[in-house]
Amino acid sequence: MDLTNKAGIVQISFDGLEGCRYSGEDEYAVNRFCMRCWNGWEQDVINDASQLNHNLWHMNTRMNWGEPWGVKMRDRFEYRAKNQEFFARNLFPKMLGWFLIRTASQKFEATTLSDIEWMLSKAAGFDSGFSIVANQDVFDNLGILDQILDAIRMWEELRLKGAFPDDIKKELRRPETEWHLEYQGNGIYKLYQQDIKEYNCDLGEMQPGQSGGADWIFDNRLGADRFEGNIRVVGGGYIENPTLRTPSGMIRFECRIGDKEYLFFNGMHAYVTDHNYNKKFEVKVKGNAAISPSVQPLSFSCDFGRDERPEVKVTVITSGIPYDITL
């Protein structure tokens, strides 16, 4: 309370209130702690909490449960979604909870733009707010931070101005859907539904004499005529000249991709980044690999160092016909 007043703090979170119960006074201790803060604040303080006590209904600005630590961004969504109904019934502002923007670690990949737009699409669908956590390491090292901030600005501007029609909001709420928003100028946005598929090729499990590669089945359910995505190398070693083939052609990337590096491509242009998506160099692209609106084979091949056989993860992204969203 004194810290809030002296430092001019205008937002806090009553998190971990269950610790008050260990005093032996149970719910009374929780309510007494919060009320002492509330009564002692000398300025308006936006406050939220992860648990709603009856005595605190009039005091909390909002409820905002959803812990991002130690889990992927898309985990625990069912609980977050159920909370939106609870908040609406109890006349609280709807909030999806806390989300973490992270750089790469031993356990997690760095946050992707697709992760952020997945979260933003759910917020738009429920017309709910959210909180984002990012430390200084993210601001210093995440190569796509500007893209992420631009996406947050665009999605939130449209959400707060009520630009999404109800039928689209219903689709946005579905947890299995992916979306991408692009600004066209003059207040016009293109909203694309996307399909993101992930494939795996373990070069360490190749048979003797077998060249490096894998064959998969790709279902182009959105009917796109092209694809984009990325190739990631993990487990040590490197690959060279990765190639993707469809029934209509092939696309070859003339480069070397090392451990924990990514190759990002959009069909025509490509570049290699480090594990935090900082661009390292442009890549020469040869060929073209269109796709048909059907189920079809997709093949991957590459050269690699024989002493270390890494694992290769291929992500393929396709987009459907866009919706026009206008401010």
Side-chain angles (χ1 to χ4, degrees), residues 229-254:
N230 65 78
I231 297 172
R232 180 190 180 209
V233 175
V234 294
Y238 64 88
I239 67 171
E240 292 182 322
N241 304 321
T243 302
L244 292 169
R245 291 180 174 85
T246 68
S248 65
M250 59 170 281
I251 183 169
R252 178 186 176 94
F253 307 98
E254 297 188 341

Side-chain angles (χ1 to χ4, degrees), residues 265-278:
F265 61 91
N266 64 5
M268 296 297 294
H269 304 284
Y271 56 91
V272 170
T273 76
D274 65 11
H275 59 301
N276 285 321
Y277 316 131
N278 295 289

Side-chain angles (χ1 to χ4, degrees), residues 157-165:
E157 182 178 21
L158 293 179
R159 180 182 74 84
L160 293 172
K161 292 184 177 180
F164 294 105

